[in-house]
Amino acid sequence: MSEPTARRRGRPPRTESAGTRDRILAAAREEFSERGYEKTSVRGIAKAAGVDSALVHHYFGTKEQVFEAAVEVAFAPALNAPNTLAEGPLDGVGERLTRFVFGVWENPTTRTPLLAILRSAVNNETAAAVFRRLVAAQLLRRIAAQLDLPDAELRAELAAAQVVGTAMMRYVIKLEPLASVDLELIIARVAPVVQGHLTRP
Amino acid sequence: MSEPTARRRGRPPRTESAGTRDRILAAAREEFSERGYEKTSVRGIAKAAGVDSALVHHYFGTKEQVFEAAVEVAFAPALNAPNTLAEGPLDGVGERLTRFVFGVWENPTTRTPLLAILRSAVNNETAAAVFRRLVAAQLLRRIAAQLDLPDAELRAELAAAQVVGTAMMRYVIKLEPLASVDLELIIARVAPVVQGHLTRP
């Protein structure tokens, strides 16, 4: 958790900085989750973290960059997942991916930042750009790379559309019966679709 | 267009009221599209329509009710569609529904209010409730009613999740290549999924 990203600006001595950075990141995650991208300010993040705005800029740069860092932390498990998820037999990849994503959504701790990202991306072009960079470039493209098919990226996106659409209906819009049915029932319906998008000739 | 909904409060003489109601509704659609549900006020809608706030309340009631009326107009073609869409051979229903929904999304005039509804529903519980009432009760349940299967509503929702998720990735988040590929390619991939959700044993 203390070193979630590689890109970093020049920074103060190690011991003090790790705690401060984490505190700013936690405050940023909280602020973006509660208010969404547009209504969150660097000043508000700094205040919540108990530091000066200048320190937030020092560690992360612009508001967009703070957002990206906060999203990156939230996505960290997902960003590392494709490597292991796409390993193993290809005919089980649909179920592995579906189980993994819904596992993240079912957990309230990981659901909150995901919700914040989705809400911000739907409402703000800058946040959508961050979503595109992280999700498209890092997550979907790494899944696609393992498929070895000419239209692998489109396949990964259509699979993601089914999963994200289902998660939105279940956890955000809360359409019934989808919001209340047992998760296993959803996985039984969605996993074959994900599998089909990814591997059907 | 002049009589989009059945529920109506006591209203002034017909000739004058039709024009005023339509003007208020058009202003409401515009305001909700531009600002989203939370930032839109009845006062702002009234100002944009060139009328007094009291008149907006008189015709529609609360802000939630103005929103519902505006959404209902935007959804009018879709709300009437299930009757005809679900007629005809059942093995073509996936493609008919998919073509219909993407037709609405591809048209900038009908896309704007849809975007506004989606954005508002993702961000605000009151707007989500309107979305649930209109989309779930009126649209999906009417499709489900024609399927004659015990889990028809869940099937309709999972089909909708693939379509709405794909529309979100293509038109809102603008993930590439999904945002730029030919619509026919998307329909070729999505229609069998919709068909499968709706009718596969």
Side-chain angles (χ1 to χ4, degrees):
Chain A
M1 279 299 273
S2 60
E3 295 291 335
T5 61
R7 278 168 285 113
R8 201 99 310 144
R9 298 187 156 219
R11 50 171 161 168
R14 222 164 158 276
T15 42
E16 162 59 5
S17 72
T20 310
R21 275 198 80 249
D22 286 354
R23 214 164 66 237
I24 295 172
L25 264 188
R29 221 158 47 231
E30 192 88 5
E31 293 285 303
F32 284 124
S33 297
E34 258 178 39
R35 295 171 210 280
Y37 183 83
E38 289 190 7
K39 286 189 214 156
T40 297
S41 66
V42 167
R43 200 216 293 248
I45 292 169
K47 199 178 160 195
V51 301
D52 193 86
S53 296
L55 203 59
V56 178
H57 288 299
H58 169 74
Y59 279 119
F60 299 100
T62 63
K63 177 170 113 174
E64 182 177 354
Q65 290 170 312
V66 188
F67 181 72
E68 185 150 3
V71 171
E72 231 167 344
V73 175
F75 263 83
L79 293 174
N80 292 322
N83 302 323
T84 50
L85 280 172
E87 277 166 19
L90 205 60
D91 63 359
V93 70
E95 183 171 342
R96 289 201 298 280
L97 278 171
T98 305
R99 272 194 193 285
F100 172 78
V101 175
F102 281 98
V104 175
W105 275 100
E106 287 284 316
N107 179 344
T109 315
T110 42
R111 186 193 305 171
T112 307
L114 269 187
L115 259 178
I117 295 157
L118 191 65
R119 289 195 166 117
S120 298
V122 166
N123 277 276
N124 179 281
E125 173 47 34
T126 310
V130 170
F131 187 92
R132 279 197 297 272
R133 277 202 298 276
L134 282 175
V135 175
Q138 296 202 38
L139 190 58
L140 297 181
R141 243 155 244 174
R142 279 156 72 186
I143 293 171
Q146 316 213 21
L147 291 179
D148 198 23
L149 286 164
D151 58 350
E153 287 181 13
L154 182 63
R155 286 170 174 270
E157 287 173 2
L158 288 167
Q162 172 75 68
V163 175
V164 171
T166 307
M168 210 175 81
M169 299 287 201
R170 179 174 169 91
Y171 304 107
V172 186
I173 311 282
K174 302 191 179 77
L175 268 188
E176 292 295 351
L178 188 56
S180 303
V181 294
D182 191 82
L183 184 62
E184 286 303 316
L185 185 54
I186 294 178
I187 289 173
R189 304 292 180 100
V190 169
V193 172
V194 171
Q195 183 73 39
H197 279 311
L198 293 180
T199 62
R200 190 165 299 144
Chain B
M1 279 298 274
S2 60
E3 296 291 338
T5 62
R7 278 166 287 114
R8 201 101 306 148
R9 301 187 155 217
R11 49 170 161 170
R14 223 165 159 279
T15 43
E16 163 58 6
S17 73
T20 310
R21 275 197 80 250
D22 285 355
R23 213 164 67 236
I24 295 172
L25 265 187
R29 224 159 44 234
E30 193 88 5
E31 291 285 302
F32 284 124
S33 297
E34 257 178 39
R35 294 172 211 280
Y37 184 82
E38 289 190 8
K39 286 189 214 155
T40 297
S41 65
V42 167
R43 200 217 291 251
I45 293 170
K47 200 178 159 195
V51 302
D52 193 84
S53 297
L55 203 60
V56 178
H57 287 301
H58 169 75
Y59 279 118
F60 299 100
T62 63
K63 178 171 112 174
E64 183 178 353
Q65 290 170 311
V66 187
F67 181 71
E68 185 151 1
V71 170
E72 233 168 342
V73 175
F75 264 83
L79 293 175
N80 292 321
N83 302 325
T84 50
L85 280 172
E87 279 167 16
L90 206 59
D91 63 359
V93 70
E95 183 170 343
R96 289 200 300 280
L97 278 171
T98 306
R99 273 194 193 285
F100 173 77
V101 175
F102 281 98
V104 174
W105 274 99
E106 287 283 315
N107 178 344
T109 314
T110 42
R111 185 193 307 170
T112 307
L114 268 187
L115 259 178
I117 295 157
L118 191 66
R119 288 195 165 118
S120 298
V122 166
N123 277 276
N124 180 281
E125 173 47 34
T126 309
V130 171
F131 187 91
R132 279 197 297 272
R133 278 201 297 276
L134 283 175
V135 175
Q138 297 202 37
L139 190 59
L140 296 181
R141 244 155 244 173
R142 279 156 72 185
I143 292 171
Q146 317 214 20
L147 292 179
D148 198 24
L149 286 165
D151 59 349
E153 287 182 13
L154 182 64
R155 286 170 175 270
E157 287 172 4
L158 288 167
Q162 171 75 70
V163 175
V164 171
T166 307
M168 210 175 81
M169 299 286 203
R170 179 174 168 91
Y171 303 107
V172 185
I173 311 281
K174 300 190 180 79
L175 269 188
E176 292 295 352
L178 189 56
S180 303
V181 294
D182 191 82
L183 183 62
E184 286 303 317
L185 185 55
I186 293 178
I187 288 173
R189 303 293 179 100
V190 168
V193 171
V194 171
Q195 183 72 40
H197 279 310
L198 293 180
T199 62
R200 189 165 300 145

